[in-house]
Amino acid sequence: MLKIVIAGGFGAGKTTAVGAVSEITPLSTEEYLTEASANVDSLDGVEAKQTTTVAFDFGRLSLPDAPVPLELFLFGTPGQDRFVDLWYDLSRGAVGAVVLVDTRRLESSFTPVSFFEDIGLPFVVAVNHFDGAHRYHPEQVRAALELPTCVPVVTCDARNPSHIAGVLLTLVGHAVKYAPAGPDHPTPTTTLQDA
């Protein structure tokens, strides 16, 4: 059993990704956007968005046919920067994270990327292809986000279960590759994850 965090900016597709791949009815804390949040949550580029996650999303995916059978517990974060304190709690005990990127609002990806770099949690970047959005090569996104070559950058459609399952398997492989090797290598920045 592995815990995975799915993060990204406001409107990047986190709730959609969890719902697309979850084998159970996902727990969702979506609430309607109101005028009260208009000064806080910019809808530039996502004008059709009507709801937002206010706590987290939860889903489960079993992969019995993987090289090692896996059961993944998926925790989707709220996307707004004001919820970063909650990200610490959701990341505690996670094997790694997926940062969903919306290239229409790339600037919203810097906070989650920096967050996982700071706490030392392995992560992959998944560029969510939105209908009508310009398609960028993964290496262009890597350069724009100033990511090291060791961080996998892949593309996906958050509505497609096989795409999201592939992203999750990429993350698990990456996390295993970069896992601490023994008692001399403690879990990265546990104090931050426990904050």
Short mmCIF file of all heavy atoms in Angstrom, two decimals, residues 146-186:
data_model
loop_
_atom_site.label_atom_id
_atom_site.label_comp_id
_atom_site.label_asym_id
_atom_site.label_seq_id
_atom_site.Cartn_x
_atom_site.Cartn_y
_atom_site.Cartn_z
N GLU A 146 12.20 25.03 -14.56
CA GLU A 146 13.57 24.89 -14.05
C GLU A 146 13.74 23.60 -13.25
O GLU A 146 14.29 23.59 -12.15
CB GLU A 146 13.98 26.11 -13.23
CG GLU A 146 13.92 27.39 -14.03
CD GLU A 146 14.28 28.63 -13.21
OE1 GLU A 146 14.36 28.54 -11.96
OE2 GLU A 146 14.47 29.68 -13.83
N LEU A 147 13.26 22.50 -13.83
CA LEU A 147 13.33 21.20 -13.16
C LEU A 147 14.63 20.49 -13.50
O LEU A 147 15.08 20.53 -14.65
CB LEU A 147 12.17 20.31 -13.61
CG LEU A 147 10.77 20.78 -13.25
CD1 LEU A 147 9.73 19.94 -13.97
CD2 LEU A 147 10.57 20.72 -11.75
N PRO A 148 15.24 19.79 -12.54
CA PRO A 148 16.42 18.98 -12.86
C PRO A 148 16.04 17.80 -13.75
O PRO A 148 14.87 17.38 -13.80
CB PRO A 148 16.91 18.51 -11.48
CG PRO A 148 15.73 18.63 -10.58
CD PRO A 148 14.85 19.72 -11.13
N THR A 149 17.01 17.26 -14.44
CA THR A 149 16.74 16.16 -15.37
C THR A 149 16.25 14.90 -14.67
O THR A 149 15.65 14.05 -15.30
CB THR A 149 18.00 15.83 -16.20
OG1 THR A 149 19.07 15.52 -15.29
CG2 THR A 149 18.40 16.99 -17.09
N CYS A 150 16.50 14.78 -13.37
CA CYS A 150 16.06 13.57 -12.66
C CYS A 150 14.55 13.55 -12.40
O CYS A 150 13.99 12.51 -12.06
CB CYS A 150 16.82 13.42 -11.34
SG CYS A 150 16.50 14.75 -10.16
N VAL A 151 13.86 14.68 -12.56
CA VAL A 151 12.41 14.72 -12.32
C VAL A 151 11.70 14.37 -13.63
O VAL A 151 11.82 15.08 -14.62
CB VAL A 151 11.96 16.12 -11.84
CG1 VAL A 151 10.43 16.19 -11.74
CG2 VAL A 151 12.61 16.47 -10.51
N PRO A 152 10.95 13.26 -13.65
CA PRO A 152 10.22 12.90 -14.87
C PRO A 152 9.14 13.93 -15.20
O PRO A 152 8.44 14.43 -14.32
CB PRO A 152 9.59 11.55 -14.53
CG PRO A 152 10.40 11.01 -13.39
CD PRO A 152 10.84 12.22 -12.62
N VAL A 153 9.03 14.26 -16.49
CA VAL A 153 7.97 15.14 -16.99
C VAL A 153 7.23 14.36 -18.07
O VAL A 153 7.84 13.94 -19.05
CB VAL A 153 8.52 16.46 -17.55
CG1 VAL A 153 7.36 17.33 -18.07
CG2 VAL A 153 9.33 17.21 -16.50
N VAL A 154 5.93 14.13 -17.85
CA VAL A 154 5.12 13.35 -18.78
C VAL A 154 3.88 14.15 -19.15
O VAL A 154 3.58 15.17 -18.52
CB VAL A 154 4.72 11.99 -18.17
CG1 VAL A 154 5.94 11.13 -17.88
CG2 VAL A 154 3.90 12.18 -16.89
N THR A 155 3.17 13.70 -20.16
CA THR A 155 1.91 14.35 -20.54
C THR A 155 0.76 13.39 -20.24
O THR A 155 0.95 12.17 -20.17
CB THR A 155 1.90 14.73 -22.03
OG1 THR A 155 2.06 13.54 -22.81
CG2 THR A 155 3.01 15.73 -22.35
N CYS A 156 -0.43 13.97 -20.06
CA CYS A 156 -1.59 13.13 -19.77
C CYS A 156 -2.86 13.91 -20.07
O CYS A 156 -2.84 15.12 -20.28
CB CYS A 156 -1.59 12.67 -18.32
SG CYS A 156 -1.90 14.00 -17.12
N ASP A 157 -3.95 13.20 -20.06
CA ASP A 157 -5.29 13.78 -20.03
C ASP A 157 -5.90 13.30 -18.73
O ASP A 157 -6.11 12.10 -18.53
CB ASP A 157 -6.10 13.29 -21.23
CG ASP A 157 -7.51 13.86 -21.29
OD1 ASP A 157 -8.05 14.24 -20.22
OD2 ASP A 157 -8.07 13.93 -22.38
N ALA A 158 -6.13 14.21 -17.79
CA ALA A 158 -6.60 13.84 -16.45
C ALA A 158 -7.94 13.11 -16.47
O ALA A 158 -8.31 12.49 -15.48
CB ALA A 158 -6.69 15.07 -15.56
N ARG A 159 -8.65 13.15 -17.58
CA ARG A 159 -9.93 12.44 -17.67
C ARG A 159 -9.76 10.98 -18.06
O ARG A 159 -10.70 10.20 -17.96
CB ARG A 159 -10.82 13.13 -18.72
CG ARG A 159 -11.11 14.59 -18.42
CD ARG A 159 -11.71 15.29 -19.60
NE ARG A 159 -10.73 15.35 -20.69
CZ ARG A 159 -10.90 16.03 -21.81
NH1 ARG A 159 -12.01 16.70 -22.01
NH2 ARG A 159 -9.97 16.03 -22.74
N ASN A 160 -8.55 10.61 -18.49
CA ASN A 160 -8.30 9.28 -19.03
C ASN A 160 -7.68 8.37 -17.97
O ASN A 160 -6.54 8.59 -17.55
CB ASN A 160 -7.36 9.41 -20.24
CG ASN A 160 -7.16 8.12 -20.97
OD1 ASN A 160 -6.93 7.07 -20.37
ND2 ASN A 160 -7.22 8.17 -22.29
N PRO A 161 -8.41 7.34 -17.51
CA PRO A 161 -7.89 6.49 -16.46
C PRO A 161 -6.53 5.85 -16.78
O PRO A 161 -5.66 5.76 -15.91
CB PRO A 161 -8.97 5.41 -16.29
CG PRO A 161 -10.22 6.06 -16.79
CD PRO A 161 -9.78 6.97 -17.90
N SER A 162 -6.33 5.42 -18.03
CA SER A 162 -5.06 4.77 -18.35
C SER A 162 -3.91 5.78 -18.34
O SER A 162 -2.79 5.44 -17.96
CB SER A 162 -5.13 4.04 -19.70
OG SER A 162 -5.37 4.94 -20.76
N HIS A 163 -4.17 7.02 -18.72
CA HIS A 163 -3.14 8.06 -18.64
C HIS A 163 -2.72 8.28 -17.18
O HIS A 163 -1.53 8.34 -16.87
CB HIS A 163 -3.64 9.39 -19.20
CG HIS A 163 -3.70 9.44 -20.68
ND1 HIS A 163 -3.70 10.63 -21.37
CD2 HIS A 163 -3.76 8.47 -21.64
CE1 HIS A 163 -3.77 10.40 -22.67
NE2 HIS A 163 -3.82 9.09 -22.84
N ILE A 164 -3.71 8.42 -16.30
CA ILE A 164 -3.40 8.69 -14.89
C ILE A 164 -2.72 7.48 -14.25
O ILE A 164 -1.77 7.63 -13.48
CB ILE A 164 -4.66 9.11 -14.12
CG1 ILE A 164 -5.23 10.41 -14.72
CG2 ILE A 164 -4.36 9.30 -12.64
CD1 ILE A 164 -4.25 11.57 -14.78
N ALA A 165 -3.17 6.27 -14.58
CA ALA A 165 -2.50 5.08 -14.05
C ALA A 165 -1.04 5.06 -14.50
O ALA A 165 -0.14 4.72 -13.72
CB ALA A 165 -3.23 3.82 -14.51
N GLY A 166 -0.78 5.43 -15.75
CA GLY A 166 0.60 5.49 -16.25
C GLY A 166 1.43 6.52 -15.50
O GLY A 166 2.60 6.28 -15.17
N VAL A 167 0.84 7.68 -15.22
CA VAL A 167 1.55 8.71 -14.45
C VAL A 167 1.88 8.18 -13.06
O VAL A 167 3.00 8.37 -12.56
CB VAL A 167 0.69 10.00 -14.35
CG1 VAL A 167 1.29 10.98 -13.35
CG2 VAL A 167 0.54 10.66 -15.71
N LEU A 168 0.92 7.50 -12.43
CA LEU A 168 1.15 6.96 -11.08
C LEU A 168 2.26 5.91 -11.08
O LEU A 168 3.10 5.87 -10.16
CB LEU A 168 -0.15 6.39 -10.52
CG LEU A 168 -1.27 7.42 -10.29
CD1 LEU A 168 -2.57 6.72 -9.95
CD2 LEU A 168 -0.88 8.43 -9.24
N LEU A 169 2.27 5.05 -12.09
CA LEU A 169 3.35 4.05 -12.18
C LEU A 169 4.70 4.72 -12.42
O LEU A 169 5.72 4.28 -11.88
CB LEU A 169 3.04 3.03 -13.28
CG LEU A 169 1.93 2.04 -12.94
CD1 LEU A 169 1.58 1.17 -14.14
CD2 LEU A 169 2.32 1.17 -11.74
N THR A 170 4.72 5.79 -13.21
CA THR A 170 5.96 6.55 -13.40
C THR A 170 6.45 7.10 -12.07
O THR A 170 7.63 7.04 -11.74
CB THR A 170 5.75 7.69 -14.42
OG1 THR A 170 5.38 7.13 -15.67
CG2 THR A 170 7.00 8.54 -14.58
N LEU A 171 5.51 7.63 -11.28
CA LEU A 171 5.88 8.16 -9.97
C LEU A 171 6.43 7.07 -9.06
O LEU A 171 7.47 7.26 -8.41
CB LEU A 171 4.69 8.84 -9.29
CG LEU A 171 4.94 9.21 -7.82
CD1 LEU A 171 6.05 10.25 -7.70
CD2 LEU A 171 3.67 9.68 -7.15
N VAL A 172 5.76 5.93 -9.00
CA VAL A 172 6.22 4.84 -8.12
C VAL A 172 7.63 4.41 -8.53
O VAL A 172 8.51 4.25 -7.67
CB VAL A 172 5.23 3.65 -8.14
CG1 VAL A 172 5.82 2.44 -7.43
CG2 VAL A 172 3.90 4.06 -7.50
N GLY A 173 7.88 4.25 -9.82
CA GLY A 173 9.22 3.88 -10.28
C GLY A 173 10.25 4.93 -9.91
O GLY A 173 11.36 4.61 -9.47
N HIS A 174 9.88 6.20 -10.05
CA HIS A 174 10.79 7.30 -9.70
C HIS A 174 11.06 7.31 -8.19
O HIS A 174 12.20 7.47 -7.76
CB HIS A 174 10.18 8.63 -10.15
CG HIS A 174 10.95 9.83 -9.76
ND1 HIS A 174 12.22 10.09 -10.23
CD2 HIS A 174 10.64 10.86 -8.93
CE1 HIS A 174 12.65 11.23 -9.71
NE2 HIS A 174 11.71 11.72 -8.92
N ALA A 175 10.01 7.13 -7.40
CA ALA A 175 10.17 7.15 -5.94
C ALA A 175 11.04 6.00 -5.46
O ALA A 175 11.88 6.17 -4.56
CB ALA A 175 8.80 7.10 -5.27
N VAL A 176 10.88 4.83 -6.06
CA VAL A 176 11.71 3.68 -5.68
C VAL A 176 13.17 3.94 -6.03
O VAL A 176 14.08 3.66 -5.25
CB VAL A 176 11.20 2.39 -6.37
CG1 VAL A 176 12.20 1.26 -6.26
CG2 VAL A 176 9.85 1.97 -5.79
N LYS A 177 13.38 4.53 -7.19
CA LYS A 177 14.75 4.82 -7.64
C LYS A 177 15.45 5.81 -6.71
O LYS A 177 16.65 5.70 -6.48
CB LYS A 177 14.70 5.39 -9.06
CG LYS A 177 16.05 5.66 -9.68
CD LYS A 177 15.91 6.13 -11.11
CE LYS A 177 17.26 6.42 -11.73
NZ LYS A 177 17.12 6.87 -13.13
N TYR A 178 14.71 6.76 -6.19
CA TYR A 178 15.31 7.81 -5.36
C TYR A 178 15.02 7.65 -3.87
O TYR A 178 15.22 8.58 -3.10
CB TYR A 178 14.87 9.19 -5.85
CG TYR A 178 15.55 9.53 -7.15
CD1 TYR A 178 14.92 9.27 -8.36
CD2 TYR A 178 16.83 10.05 -7.17
CE1 TYR A 178 15.55 9.54 -9.56
CE2 TYR A 178 17.47 10.33 -8.36
CZ TYR A 178 16.82 10.07 -9.56
OH TYR A 178 17.45 10.33 -10.74
N ALA A 179 14.54 6.46 -3.46
CA ALA A 179 14.25 6.21 -2.06
C ALA A 179 15.55 6.18 -1.26
O ALA A 179 16.59 5.72 -1.75
CB ALA A 179 13.50 4.90 -1.89
N PRO A 180 15.53 6.64 -0.02
CA PRO A 180 16.71 6.53 0.84
C PRO A 180 17.12 5.07 0.99
O PRO A 180 16.28 4.18 1.01
CB PRO A 180 16.23 7.09 2.19
CG PRO A 180 15.04 7.93 1.86
CD PRO A 180 14.41 7.29 0.64
N ALA A 181 18.42 4.84 1.06
CA ALA A 181 18.95 3.47 1.09
C ALA A 181 19.46 3.10 2.47
O ALA A 181 20.64 3.11 2.73
CB ALA A 181 20.07 3.33 0.06
N GLY A 182 18.54 2.79 3.38
CA GLY A 182 18.97 2.25 4.67
C GLY A 182 18.93 3.25 5.81
O GLY A 182 18.55 4.41 5.65
N PRO A 183 19.36 2.78 7.02
CA PRO A 183 19.24 3.59 8.23
C PRO A 183 20.12 4.84 8.22
O PRO A 183 19.86 5.78 8.97
CB PRO A 183 19.64 2.64 9.35
CG PRO A 183 20.43 1.57 8.68
CD PRO A 183 19.92 1.47 7.28
N ASP A 184 21.16 4.86 7.40
CA ASP A 184 22.02 6.05 7.34
C ASP A 184 21.41 7.17 6.52
O ASP A 184 21.95 8.27 6.45
CB ASP A 184 23.39 5.69 6.75
CG ASP A 184 24.18 4.75 7.65
OD1 ASP A 184 23.90 4.76 8.88
OD2 ASP A 184 25.02 4.00 7.14
N HIS A 185 20.29 6.90 5.86
CA HIS A 185 19.62 7.90 5.02
C HIS A 185 18.19 8.05 5.51
O HIS A 185 17.30 7.36 5.04
CB HIS A 185 19.64 7.47 3.55
CG HIS A 185 21.03 7.35 3.01
ND1 HIS A 185 21.78 6.22 3.14
CD2 HIS A 185 21.80 8.26 2.36
CE1 HIS A 185 22.96 6.41 2.57
NE2 HIS A 185 22.99 7.63 2.10
N PRO A 186 17.95 8.95 6.47
CA PRO A 186 16.60 9.10 7.01
C PRO A 186 15.63 9.64 5.97
O PRO A 186 16.02 10.19 4.96
CB PRO A 186 16.78 10.11 8.15
CG PRO A 186 18.02 10.87 7.78
CD PRO A 186 18.91 9.90 7.02
#
